[in-house]
Amino acid sequence: MDNINLRPYIKPLFIFILIFILLTSSFKAVSAGTVKIVTRFGKVTGRMLNPGAHFIFPLAESTITYNTKKVTYEASDQPKNSRATYTDLSVNTTTKDGQQIELNYTVRFSVEPKKAGWIANNIGTELDVVEKIVKTDPRIHARNIARGFNAADLYTGNIIEMQKAVEDFLRPIFEENGLLLDEFGVRGITFTDDYISAIEAKQIEKERVITEENIARQEDFRKEARIIKAQGEAEEQRLQRQTLNEALLMKMWIEKWNGNVPDVMTGDQGNLLFQIPKP
C-alpha cells in the first residue's frame, strides 16, 4: 500500500484547531446569580456580563466572576463542619468586666451588581473581597463592640443589642465597598468554665434565697391566719356572753325539747334533785 502524504493536511488542520480554540475562548456563559467583569490585558474595561451567553475578544480579554446571590461567611469553633461559603475561626475578645469570651457569628452578604466593576478595579476578586472586607471588618468591630458589654448581660441573653450594634456599624462599611450586608448574626458566645461555674453557683444561691423568702412569707401568712381565727372566735364568744340570759336559755331549751317529761329535775338553786314518778 502506497504511503499517504499528510503534509497538505497539516496546515489546514492547524488553522482549524486554532480557530476552534479562539472561538471557544471567546465564548462566555454567565450563570444565574453571578456577573462577570471583563478585563483586557489585565485592565478592567468596565464592561459587565449579565447571566446569559456573551462573546469577548479571545486571548486579549478575560473575566472576573462575582456572586450577586447571598453568600455566607461564618466564624465558628468548628469551621470544618460549617456549610457556609467561607469559614474562619471564632473571634476571641474580652467583655467590659474583663471576662474572656469567644464569638461565633455569621455574615450574609452579596455583591451589588452595579458596583462589580468598581470592586474589580479597587478590591479584586470575590476572594479578595472576603479577605479584605467581609472577614476583616466584622472580626475587628465584633471584638471591639463586645468589649462594651458586661459578661452577665451577654450570658443572660442580651445578645440582640450587641448584634445590632455590630450590624449597624458594618452596614455603611459594606456599602462603601460595593457590598450589600443582609445580616450579621451572633450564633453563640462561649464563656470560660470558671465563669460558667461562678454564674451557676450564684444562680443556685439566688434560688435558695428566694425559696427561703417564700417559706418565711408562708409562715407569716399562716401565723396571721391563726391570729385572725383566734380573734374571730374570741369575738364570737364575747357576743354570746352579752346576749345569753335566762329567757334566751329557756327558749333554746323549749326549741330542743322532744315533748317528754324529764325523769329528774333540779330545784331553783340547782342543788336539789328529785325523781318524777312515771304515770
Side-chain angles (χ1 to χ4, degrees), residues 4 6 21 30 46 56 61 83 99 123 144 151 156 162 164 173 178 185 203 223 241 251 257 259 265 267:
I4 300 176
L6 297 179
I21 293 173
V30 182
I56 62 174
E61 293 183 338
R83 299 179 63 182
Q99 294 296 328
I123 301 177
N144 292 336
T156 54
M162 190 272 284
K164 186 176 185 304
I173 296 175
Q203 186 64 30
K223 181 179 179 180
R241 286 194 299 269
K251 179 176 179 299
W257 183 43
M265 294 188 66

Side-chain angles (χ1 to χ4, degrees), residues 93-200:
T93 187
T94 55
T95 60
K96 186 177 181 179
D97 48 349
Q99 294 296 328
Q100 290 286 336
I101 61 173
E102 282 188 358
L103 293 175
N104 298 324
Y105 60 82
T106 298
V107 180
R108 190 165 62 236
F109 71 99
S110 59
V111 171
E112 188 174 353
K114 293 181 180 179
K115 294 186 177 181
W118 182 91
I119 293 173
N121 205 36
N122 292 275
I123 301 177
T125 65
E126 182 174 285
L127 184 58
D128 292 328
V129 169
V130 172
E131 286 293 326
K132 296 176 182 179
I133 308 298
V134 180
K135 174 181 177 179
T136 303
D137 285 286
R139 292 182 75 87
I140 291 173
H141 299 298
R143 179 182 288 112
N144 292 336
I145 290 175
R147 289 173 178 162
F149 291 81
N150 289 319
D153 293 333
L154 299 177
Y155 186 84
T156 54
N158 192 16
I159 298 176
I160 299 299
E161 184 178 348
M162 190 272 284
Q163 175 180 287
K164 186 176 185 304
V166 177
E167 184 174 296
D168 290 345
F169 199 95
L170 291 176
R171 195 173 299 281
I173 296 175
F174 275 51
E175 289 178 357
E176 289 174 3
N177 290 279
L179 303 177
L180 300 174
L181 177 60
D182 187 59
E183 182 183 23
F184 173 88
V186 177
R187 299 175 54 253
I189 300 178
T190 303
F191 296 82
T192 63
D193 293 339
D194 290 341
Y195 181 77
I196 293 174
S197 298
I199 289 294
E200 290 177 348

Side-chain angles (χ1 to χ4, degrees), residues 27-75:
F27 175 79
K28 289 293 179 182
V30 182
S31 303
T34 64
V35 294
K36 291 181 182 291
I37 298 299
V38 178
T39 63
R40 184 175 300 145
F41 298 113
K43 181 181 179 180
V44 176
T45 64
R47 181 185 173 200
M48 184 175 67
L49 307 182
N50 291 308
H54 302 272
F55 286 94
I56 62 174
F57 291 108
L59 302 179
E61 293 183 338
S62 59
T63 58
I64 302 174
T65 304
Y66 295 98
N67 272 302
T68 55
K69 56 182 178 292
K70 298 184 190 304
V71 180
T72 55
Y73 165 89
E74 184 178 289

Side-chain angles (χ1 to χ4, degrees), residues 79-96:
K80 292 182 179 180
N81 297 331
S82 173
R83 299 179 63 182
T85 312
Y86 300 94
T87 60
D88 204 349
L89 294 173
S90 305
V91 173
N92 295 315
T93 187
T94 55
T95 60
K96 186 177 181 179

